[in-house]
Amino acid sequence: IASLQRLIDWNKVSHFQPEIFEKNFSELGKKMLVYDINGVKMELTGTIDRIDISEDQKYFMIIDYKTGKAYLNLQEIFAGVNLQLLTYLMAAQKIDAEKLPAGMLYYFLKFPAKKADSETEAENAIDKELTPEFWLLNDENILAEIDSSNEIIKIQFNKNGAISKTSEKKLQSAENFKMLIKYAEDILKLTGEKILSGNIQSQPMQTKNHDACRFCQFVELCNFNPNIDKARTVELDDNQIFEKIGALDQSDKID
């Protein structure tokens, strides 16, 4: 009930309105996510929960509903993991290239139960767990249009009025979104090439939030022993990653 009420409250204070619900890529328009991989046609499929459009029809925002945990991590994206929202962003923009991405977010549909010493503490804990996980366009006007109350996305500000470093990490420039969308598409095409070439090498990813081997059902088959073999990691900060993605964008080649 709490998460649904927040959706209603958000709709009242947002100038972005839902226009598309539960649409498969193929239902959204032309088949623009079909790639020729060495003579073989590879089509990306998926279903976008919701696309919101700004009042001036210039921007769109991807929303994905989650009943469990979800997060956005640039290190994982750089490693080719956790590309769901970027793939949706890419698909939506290919269908309507005139519109620009205002952001993407996970909206949590769940009823968290929290133990606390007071009702206020419990409400704060629940509020924190229901706050969407997002990357939004770093534009004050767009942020205000997405949530004029700032009660849903909860951008944090310092005493001097500047956006806090914590919230800054959740905001991306238009150029960053452009680079990320292209990078995600290149990774998806490269993955298709590797599959078709017979490359099935085990390269699990490991970060502080993600351990590919932890609940894997195929540990006995892949010959990767997490106690002996070294998992993939990304030892780069966000700025270094964007520098590398920018360089790859210029060279137009990903290994």
Side-chain angles (χ1 to χ4, degrees):
I1 295 175
S3 56
L4 292 176
Q5 183 59 53
R6 288 166 70 94
L7 272 178
I8 296 170
D9 293 341
W10 186 14
N11 188 64
K12 294 176 181 177
V13 297
S14 178
H15 295 284
F16 277 70
Q17 293 301 310
E19 286 203 9
I20 296 173
F21 298 93
E22 286 287 329
K23 287 290 185 181
N24 187 280
F25 292 171
S26 61
E27 296 179 292
L28 290 170
K30 300 176 183 177
K31 287 194 172 184
M32 307 205 50
L33 294 173
V34 179
Y35 304 97
D36 188 314
I37 309 293
N38 299 323
V40 177
K41 290 198 179 298
M42 180 184 78
E43 181 178 359
L44 291 179
T45 62
T47 301
I48 302 175
D49 284 345
R50 173 175 154 183
I51 302 177
D52 286 16
I53 308 295
S54 61
E55 286 184 343
D56 60 11
Q57 298 291 305
K58 291 182 178 180
Y59 293 90
F60 70 94
M61 179 171 60
I62 297 294
I63 297 174
D64 191 67
Y65 297 122
K66 291 294 183 187
T67 56
K69 292 183 179 180
Y71 57 89
L72 290 164
N73 180 282
L74 187 58
Q75 283 68 31
E76 291 184 15
I77 287 171
F78 184 64
V81 180
N82 203 357
L83 298 176
Q84 181 188 13
L85 288 187
L86 276 177
T87 303
Y88 292 171
L89 211 63
M90 176 188 72
Q93 191 164 46
K94 279 184 175 293
I95 290 156
D96 189 347
E98 296 299 316
K99 290 184 175 60
L100 301 172
M104 55 190 194
L105 63 83
Y106 291 119
Y107 187 91
F108 300 110
L109 292 175
K110 53 187 177 180
F111 185 71
K114 295 292 183 181
K115 291 183 179 180
D117 294 331
S118 68
E119 184 176 343
T120 299
E121 284 186 13
E123 288 176 352
N124 289 338
I126 291 172
D127 184 66
K128 183 177 180 180
E129 190 157 341
L130 290 178
T131 297
E133 174 74 5
F134 60 81
W135 281 354
L136 299 177
L137 187 64
N138 193 357
D139 182 304
E140 290 184 7
N141 293 327
I142 295 298
L143 293 174
E145 287 187 19
I146 291 172
D147 178 11
S148 61
S149 70
N150 199 33
E151 290 296 320
I152 305 298
I153 62 174
K154 296 186 182 298
I155 299 294
Q156 299 174 18
F157 295 89
N158 297 323
K159 292 181 179 179
N160 62 4
I163 295 174
S164 71
K165 288 186 177 180
T166 300
S167 289
E168 271 187 350
K169 291 183 178 181
K170 298 176 180 290
L171 304 179
Q172 303 292 348
S173 67
E175 182 61 27
N176 280 356
F177 269 125
K178 182 179 178 181
M179 286 193 297
L180 286 167
I181 290 170
K182 183 180 184 304
Y183 182 75
E185 184 172 31
D186 288 344
I187 287 290
L188 292 168
K189 288 190 289 186
L190 178 63
T191 300
E193 291 174 5
K194 288 184 175 181
I195 291 172
L196 290 172
S197 69
N199 185 341
I200 57 171
Q201 181 182 0
S202 299
Q203 293 181 308
M205 178 74 186
Q206 190 173 58
T207 68
K208 66 177 182 179
N209 294 316
H210 180 88
D211 183 351
C213 297
R214 186 176 180 187
F215 300 111
C216 181
Q217 299 177 353
F218 304 99
V219 172
E220 302 299 327
L221 299 176
C222 77
N223 293 321
F224 183 90
N225 187 334
N227 296 317
I228 300 174
D229 302 316
K230 184 176 176 60
R232 281 190 302 147
T233 58
V234 176
E235 305 295 337
L236 300 171
D237 63 28
D238 289 5
N239 291 331
Q240 291 171 322
I241 288 175
F242 276 117
E243 286 179 9
K244 284 190 170 291
I245 291 177
L248 289 169
D249 193 24
Q250 294 297 321
S251 67
D252 204 33
K253 180 181 179 181
I254 297 178
D255 296 322

